[in-house]
Amino acid sequence: MAEVVTKGTGEVERTADRAQVDVTFEALGAERSEAVSTLNQRISAIEPLLTEFEVRSRQLSAHDNWDNNQRVGSRASQQYVIWVKDLDRLDGLLAELVQAEPSWINGPSWTLVDDTEAIREAQREAVADALRRAEGYASALGRRLGPLLRIGDTEGGAHYQPRMMSGAASFDMAGPAGMVDQLNLKAQQITVSASCTAAWSLLD
């Protein structure tokens, strides 16, 4: 039985409804225990703030510093990954974090809380695209398109990504902090895509 195999792609756009902020605090000390103690004092001011948000991870690192094979004290750092679903509170969170003078802050990066509906719509578009292509080949051969024989994701399947990358900011806290509310960190459009491969029978 003759068949035709086609690939289809589909894309839809949604406005992001979740922001991720990554922030790191660091402290120095003569010993690692002293660096960790100083770090704890630094982050004690922001821990109450973070109880109002979803902290996805906290990661502690402590190590010695070396210069020309000589130990020159220790450094400790705490890294946070924070999710913000109430985007009206994002600027306030960033302002509070900047005021706490972290060593590094990056964000927001944008995602969808639930991408199920968007993925399904992109999949429908991918299937429709594959069908249009198959009908075109069948018509070109003077044949009729028969039933669907099999279908599956192509490599990569469904995924999504920000349409533009300009909605994130990175702050190096070595210098004076800028005004967060002037950075216009608005939610980005997320492009959700899906791709499939389908095989159809060809009828006389």
Side-chain angles (χ1 to χ4, degrees), residues 17 53 77 86 93 141 152 192:
D17 54 8
F53 299 92
S77 65
D86 183 355
L93 171 64
L141 292 169
V192 182

Side-chain angles (χ1 to χ4, degrees), residues 20-24 94 98 102-110 165-180 183 185 188:
Q20 177 175 313
V21 178
D22 302 287
V23 61
T24 300
L94 290 172
V98 168
S103 299
W104 183 83
I105 182 171
N106 185 72
S109 53
W110 301 101
M165 299 305 295
S166 59
S170 180
F171 307 92
D172 181 353
M173 302 316 299
M179 296 301 293
V180 172
L183 295 178
L185 300 176
Q188 290 183 353

Side-chain angles (χ1 to χ4, degrees), residues 106-118:
N106 185 72
S109 53
W110 301 101
T111 59
L112 296 171
V113 172
D114 185 358
D115 60 7
T116 303
E117 181 275 332

Side-chain angles (χ1 to χ4, degrees), residues 136-179:
Y137 285 120
S139 176
L141 292 169
R143 307 280 290 272
R144 291 181 297 120
L145 192 66
L148 176 68
L149 300 176
R150 58 186 179 275
I151 188 171
D153 284 335
T154 59
E155 184 176 354
H159 65 279
Y160 63 91
Q161 61 184 6
R163 185 181 66 185
M164 300 184 303
M165 299 305 295
S166 59
S170 180
F171 307 92
D172 181 353
M173 302 316 299
M179 296 301 293

Side-chain angles (χ1 to χ4, degrees), residues 5-94:
V5 179
T6 57
K7 293 183 179 180
T9 59
E11 288 189 351
V12 297
E13 287 192 350
R14 295 290 186 272
T15 301
D17 54 8
R18 180 171 60 201
Q20 177 175 313
V21 178
D22 302 287
V23 61
T24 300
F25 291 86
E26 294 181 324
L28 301 175
E31 304 290 340
R32 275 175 285 184
S33 59
E34 180 182 342
V36 171
S37 178
T38 302
L39 176 65
N40 283 332
Q41 295 175 14
R42 293 201 61 196
I43 65 177
S44 63
I46 70 156
E47 282 292 340
L49 169 68
L50 297 183
T51 60
E52 303 177 16
F53 299 92
E54 184 175 355
V55 179
R56 297 296 296 177
S57 71
R58 290 176 173 85
Q59 185 174 0
L60 172 67
S61 174
H63 60 86
D64 294 331
N65 290 330
W66 297 86
D67 184 14
N68 293 326
N69 295 323
Q70 290 188 341
R71 183 178 171 279
V72 289
S74 299
R75 180 186 301 269
S77 65
Q78 177 100 320
Q79 297 178 348
Y80 295 88
V81 176
I82 306 164
W83 278 2
V84 182
K85 296 180 183 177
D86 183 355
L87 299 185
D88 290 337
R89 304 183 63 190
L90 178 60
D91 283 353
L93 171 64
L94 290 172

